[in-house]
Amino acid sequence: GESVGLHLPTLSVQEGDNSIINCAYSNSASDYFIWYKQESGKGPQFIIDIRSNMDKRQGQRVTVLLNKTVKHLSLQIAATQPGDSAVYFCAEKGTGGGNKLTFGTGTQLKVEL
Amino acid sequence: EAGVAQSPRYKIIEKRQSVAFWCNPISGHATLYWYQQILGQGPKLLIQFQNNGVVDDSQLPKDRFSAERLKGVDSTLKIQPAKLEDSAVYLCASSSLAGETQYFGPGTRLLVL
């Protein structure tokens, strides 16, 4: 079946460094991808999204890269801050109706001072 | 703009008891989703409503789970009877009719003993 997975369950970075969180997806028909941040005890918070007709999209301190050839998605966080510590999920939406998102298992980002 | 509201935030019940969760989506959002998030995993869609109609309930365990959105605004998810494996966070999300981005509430943490 379709699945979205993450390569690294835990990522530790120093404050001020850049973070890269990776995600592999298996449904080549997916046309929309989202990154969510989930802090402890809270619901997922939208960070950035990208459509399949794009390779790169930038937000404030975050960049999402999409490589459809190898079905790979990454989230880059510039100048990582302690407030960035959270679990990050990528999610994909297939081309079928209903707007259904399929989530991966998440990567825990830990920012060390 | 107010976000997605959920209540209660926490619930502890014994197995075979029943429980209900409530969600009020972002004002004007036609689409409402219920997700189950087991510890350490990404959210899994249980049911999706568009206005007061069900779009997708393929992953809802219908022998014990039910959901309704009678007036097309707020929604209730019920579990009856609960099992130990139902212990999870139940997340509600909403999106506009034309939008793909889903916005999540804080979730209800359920513990079944």
Side-chain angles (χ1 to χ4, degrees), chain B residues 9-110:
Chain B
R9 292 298 311 278
Y10 305 91
K11 191 73 176 179
I12 301 174
I13 62 172
E14 295 185 349
K15 60 182 179 183
R16 291 187 288 274
Q17 286 187 323
S18 62
V19 64
F21 313 126
W22 175 82
C23 172
N24 194 32
I26 292 173
S27 178
H29 279 191
T31 309
L32 184 148
Y33 314 78
W34 282 103
Y35 287 84
Q36 180 192 58
Q37 185 176 26
I38 293 173
L39 186 65
Q41 298 182 17
K44 183 187 79 171
L45 181 70
L46 292 174
I47 188 168
Q48 176 186 343
F49 291 95
Q50 184 167 303
N51 296 311
N52 60 354
V54 175
V55 174
D56 184 351
D57 64 356
S58 58
Q59 297 191 84
L60 186 74
K62 298 180 185 64
D63 58 333
R64 298 184 300 106
F65 286 64
S66 64
E68 59 184 16
R69 194 185 184 198
L70 296 176
K71 296 182 179 180
V73 180
D74 57 348
S75 175
T76 302
L77 175 70
K78 296 180 182 178
I79 308 175
Q80 182 179 10
K83 293 185 176 181
L84 297 177
E85 58 261 37
D86 297 332
S87 295
V89 176
Y90 291 85
L91 295 161
C92 180
S94 70
S95 65
S96 63
L97 190 59
E100 292 167 305
T101 305
Q102 298 179 24
Y103 298 91
F104 285 81
T108 296
R109 281 146 187 80
L110 174 67

Side-chain angles (χ1 to χ4, degrees), chain A residues 23-86:
Chain A
C23 175
Y25 64 94
S26 59
N27 184 2
S28 57
S30 292
D31 62 355
Y32 180 66
F33 303 87
I34 306 178
W35 281 100
Y36 284 94
K37 171 187 180 183
Q38 188 172 26
E39 297 175 274
S40 180
K42 298 183 179 180
Q45 175 188 0
F46 171 84
I47 301 174
I48 192 168
D49 58 1
I50 188 168
R51 297 193 178 279
S52 59
N53 61 354
M54 302 172 66
D55 297 323
K56 179 180 179 179
R57 191 170 187 209
Q58 289 184 295
Q60 186 176 11
R61 282 203 307 119
V62 294
T63 301
V64 55
L65 298 177
L66 177 61
N67 185 332
K68 294 179 289 295
T69 302
V70 295
K71 291 184 286 187
H72 184 267
L73 193 69
S74 69
L75 176 69
Q76 300 179 2
I77 304 173
T80 311
Q81 302 170 358
D84 295 327
S85 294

